[in-house]
Amino acid sequence: MSTTNLEVGIVGLPNVGKSTLFNAITKAGAEAANYPFCTIEPNVGVVEVPDSRLGVLAEMFKSKKIVPAPMRFVDIAGLVKGASKGEGLGNKFLSHIRETDAIAQVVRCFEDGNITHVEGGIDPVRDIEIINTELCLADLETLEHRQERIGKLLKAGDKKAAAEKAVIDKIAARLAEAVPARRQGLTDDELELVKDLFLLTLKPTLYVANVAEAEAGNAGANPFVQKVQEYAGAEGSEVIAVSAKLEEEIAELDDESAREFLEMAGLKEPGLNRLIKAGFKLLGLMTFLTAGEKETRAWTILMNTKAPQAAGKIHTDFERGFIRAEIVTFDDLVACGSRTAAREKGLLRSEGKDYVMQDGDVVEFLINV
C-alpha cells in the first residue's frame, strides 16, 4: 500500500466530539451538531505533520519553501449499539472503518448538560467497550465466513488450513467474549495466518480523551482520563488527552494569537500536534529530510524502508538508478553547521542499497538514470 494514502479513522459514539476534533484537525468545516448521525459520509482531511526540524534546515540552506509530511484523517459517522446488525448507520460505519489503516477512538471525558450522551451518562470505559463489542461482532462475522471456506480446504487435505483453523477458532472464542483481537496476545506466527482477513480489532488503535476546555492544561488529573489510560495500557495503546473545543478555537487563530492562547491554557503545544504525531507513529511511518535552496522537505516512508525505496519516493527513476545515499543525521548536521563541515568531521556517511533509513536522516541521493 502506498504510504501517501495511509489513513487514521476517527471513530466514537455520537456526540463525543469527533467532528469538532476533525474541524480542528483540518479546518475543513465538517458539520458538527448536537444530534446523532450528523456525520454520514466520511470527511477526509489532510494535515501537515508538525516538525520543527524543517524550519532549522530551511534557514541553514536558505530554502525558498518548506514542504512538511502530510497525514490523512477520516471522520467516520458515530456508532451506536447494534451497529454490527445494521443499527443506526452500522454497516456503512463498519465499511468506512475497514478502509482505514488505524483507528483514533474519541472518548468523552467531560460533563456538559447541554450535550446529550447517547448512553445517558459519562463512562469512557463503557463507551470504548460498546465500540469494541461492535467491532468484535463484525470480526466474528468475517471469521465465520472464513471458517466455511477452511472446512472445504480441510476436506481437500490442505495442511496450512488446519493451522489457520486453530488460530481462527482461538480468536473467535475470545471475540465472542468481546475481547478485541489486539488484546489477545497473539504471536507473530498467529498474526501472519490471519493478516489477509484485515480484522477491525487488529487495527492499531489510539484513544483520544476529549476533556473540557478548563482541564486541557492538566488533563492527567481528570479521573475519566485516568480510566482510559488504565484501559489502554492493558493493550499497549496510547492515550492523547485533548479538548476538542479548545483545539477548534486554536485552529482558527493566527500563529501569534495561538501561542498566547496556549500559554493562557497552560499548554506547550496544541493537543492536535501530539495527536497528529501519534497518528503518524501509529501507522508505522517516519520521515527523512532533503534540504537545498529550492526547498526543505519531509518525505514519508514506512519504518524499515531501505535507501533505494526511499529514493523512489522522490522519483521512481531514483530507485531504479540508485548508486548511494549521502546521509547525515539532523542533530549532527545542526551541530556542524553545514554539510561540508559534517563531511570534514566524518559525520557524512555514504550508504548503499541495504541501508535502512532512520527518522530524521538528511539525505542526498546519488543516482544514474
Side-chain angles (χ1 to χ4, degrees):
M1 188 183 281
S2 158
T3 53
T4 50
N5 293 323
L6 292 183
E7 294 177 338
V8 175
I10 301 177
V11 306
L13 296 176
N15 294 352
V16 296
K18 292 187 327 306
S19 294
T20 306
L21 186 68
F22 184 80
N23 286 351
I25 286 172
T26 61
K27 302 180 192 174
E31 192 186 354
N34 181 25
Y35 56 92
F37 312 131
C38 170
T39 310
I40 296 176
E41 288 306 319
N43 299 295
V44 179
V46 181
V47 291
E48 296 174 351
V49 178
D51 191 338
S52 58
R53 299 173 300 193
L54 295 173
V56 177
L57 290 178
E59 201 166 300
M60 186 185 287
F61 286 85
K62 307 285 182 278
S63 306
K64 290 188 175 73
K65 67 172 179 174
I66 291 176
V67 185
M71 168 89 202
R72 289 166 68 93
F73 283 94
V74 187
D75 182 25
I76 295 170
L79 172 147
V80 291
K81 269 183 192 167
S84 56
K85 300 283 175 258
E87 288 293 322
L89 296 161
N91 296 330
K92 207 165 212 181
F93 168 91
L94 294 165
S95 71
H96 290 154
I97 293 186
R98 210 173 287 287
E99 287 161 19
T100 64
D101 303 279
I103 295 170
Q105 191 176 144
V106 182
V107 192
R108 182 166 162 181
C109 293
F110 66 91
E111 302 271 11
D112 186 337
N114 296 318
I115 301 175
T116 54
H117 190 295
V118 285
E119 290 297 317
I122 311 301
D123 182 344
V125 172
R126 174 207 59 208
D127 293 357
I128 289 170
E129 287 179 342
I130 287 173
I131 290 205
N132 282 345
T133 298
E134 295 305 323
L135 299 183
C136 285
L137 290 168
D139 279 350
L140 261 177
E141 207 173 300
T142 301
L143 293 185
E144 280 161 13
H145 291 314
R146 183 67 185 158
Q147 279 166 325
E148 287 168 22
R149 189 152 171 259
I150 285 176
K152 291 171 189 169
L153 291 171
L154 283 170
K155 281 177 188 166
D158 187 316
K159 285 177 185 166
K160 191 188 166 195
E164 192 183 338
K165 183 182 186 306
V167 176
I168 284 178
D169 289 348
K170 174 183 167 180
I171 296 172
R174 301 296 307 285
L175 286 173
E177 297 165 0
V179 179
R182 68 176 174 276
R183 291 178 82 94
Q184 293 185 20
L186 300 170
T187 66
D188 289 344
D189 290 343
E190 289 170 333
L191 290 169
E192 184 63 30
L193 284 168
V194 294
K195 73 172 184 188
D196 295 341
L197 297 176
F198 302 107
L199 297 178
L200 299 173
T201 63
L202 269 181
K203 285 186 186 287
T205 297
L206 71 86
Y207 297 96
V208 184
N210 186 13
V211 300
E213 290 180 70
E215 294 180 303
N218 188 25
N222 178 317
F224 294 132
V225 173
Q226 290 164 5
K227 284 180 182 172
V228 177
Q229 286 169 332
E230 200 177 309
Y231 183 91
E235 64 183 41
S237 294
E238 195 175 343
V239 179
I240 304 288
V242 300
S243 165
K245 197 82 192 77
L246 189 76
E247 297 297 329
E248 191 179 30
E249 287 167 28
I250 292 169
E252 287 165 5
L253 301 172
D254 60 60
D255 290 352
E256 187 55 43
S257 304
R259 263 194 297 276
E260 288 170 15
F261 196 85
L262 285 166
E263 223 167 273
M264 280 161 53
L267 296 165
K268 289 192 179 77
E269 63 174 345
L272 286 186
N273 286 13
R274 289 181 288 116
L275 175 58
I276 293 165
K277 287 186 267 196
F280 203 68
K281 189 172 134 198
L282 195 66
L283 292 170
L285 300 175
M286 56 174 253
T287 51
F288 70 89
L289 311 166
T290 56
E293 207 175 299
K294 186 181 162 196
E295 67 175 30
T296 287
R297 183 187 286 251
W299 299 89
T300 306
I301 52 174
L302 287 164
M303 288 173 190
N304 301 316
T305 297
K306 290 189 175 176
Q309 287 70 50
K313 285 293 295 179
I314 297 175
H315 197 289
T316 47
D317 288 348
F318 281 29
E319 183 174 351
R320 199 161 38 93
F322 179 88
I323 299 171
R324 67 178 186 273
E326 302 266 285
I327 292 176
V328 57
T329 69
F330 171 79
D331 289 343
D332 284 346
L333 181 58
V334 171
C336 294
S338 72
R339 205 185 280 273
T340 308
R343 189 188 299 278
E344 284 165 3
K345 290 186 178 175
L347 295 170
L348 187 78
R349 315 182 308 275
S350 274
E351 299 287 1
K353 290 183 177 178
D354 290 330
Y355 176 72
V356 176
M357 300 294 292
Q358 302 299 309
D359 187 72
D361 279 345
V362 184
V363 192
E364 209 175 291
F365 291 109
L366 277 77
I367 54 160
N368 176 22
V369 176

